[in-house]
Structure formats: structure tokens, C-alpha cells
Amino acid sequence: MSQPAKNNVAELSGDVSAQMAVLRDDIANLTATVAEYGKAQGMVLRSAAAEKAAGLAESGAAATHAIRAKAEKTYSDTEDAVRANPAAAIGIAAGVGFVIGLLTTRR
């Protein structure tokens, strides 16, 4: 009776070893699959970030251009107003300077 028990244990030991080998192979395959998926997702995210950065750069350049055009227009309008009314421009500049002087002096 002890002989069949030994055979069963030997068979079970062999089965467990075979199953462990299959599990190791499955884990290795899963690890490789997850690594490939991670690399693919990284590439997708990297390209999405590059596209977003390019879009932001374009919108920033457009905004800079619009602000520069507005500043040039304002400067031109101010220059025209000063040329049209030089006395008023001097009076306004003197008044602004006086107010700034009052605000910045210590008491």
C-alpha cells in the first residue's frame, strides 16, 4: 500500500513541476506583453504631447503678433495725438509726473 502512494507523490511532483514551468512561461509572456503595451502607450502620449506643444506654440505666436500689432497701433495713435496737440501732451505729461512724484515721495 505504501508503493502506490509513492507513485502518486512522484506523479504529483512531476505535474507540479510542469505546471510551475508553464506558469513561469505565462508570466514571462505577460511581462513582455505589458512592456510592449507600455512602450506603445508612451509613444502615443509622446506624440500627443508634441502635437499639443506645437499647437500652443502656434497660438502663442499668433497672440504675440496680435499684441505687437495692437501696441504699434496704439503708439502710432499716441504719436499722432501728440503731434496734433503738443501743448496738451506736455501738460498731461507734467500732470502725470507730478502725481507720480507725490505718490513716490516719503512723508
Side-chain angles (χ1 to χ4, degrees):
M1 200 174 227
S2 66
Q3 194 68 7
K6 286 184 180 179
N7 285 340
N8 286 340
V9 170
E11 288 176 14
L12 286 176
S13 177
D15 287 345
V16 169
S17 295
Q19 289 177 359
M20 290 297 286
V22 169
L23 282 174
R24 279 190 209 106
D25 289 342
D26 287 347
I27 289 172
N29 289 336
L30 283 173
T31 303
T33 302
V34 169
E36 289 175 17
Y37 178 75
K39 287 178 186 177
Q41 287 299 101
M43 291 175 67
V44 167
L45 292 174
R46 197 173 300 129
S47 70
E51 288 176 14
K52 185 72 170 178
L56 290 174
E58 288 177 15
S59 65
T64 300
H65 180 69
I67 290 170
R68 178 173 284 154
K70 177 75 173 169
E72 288 173 356
K73 173 80 169 104
T74 302
Y75 182 79
S76 176
D77 290 347
T78 303
E79 191 176 53
D80 291 343
V82 168
R83 287 183 195 276
N85 300 314
I90 291 172
I92 291 171
V96 169
F98 180 74
V99 170
I100 290 174
L102 284 176
L103 293 174
T104 58
T105 55
R106 295 182 188 185
R107 292 182 184 219

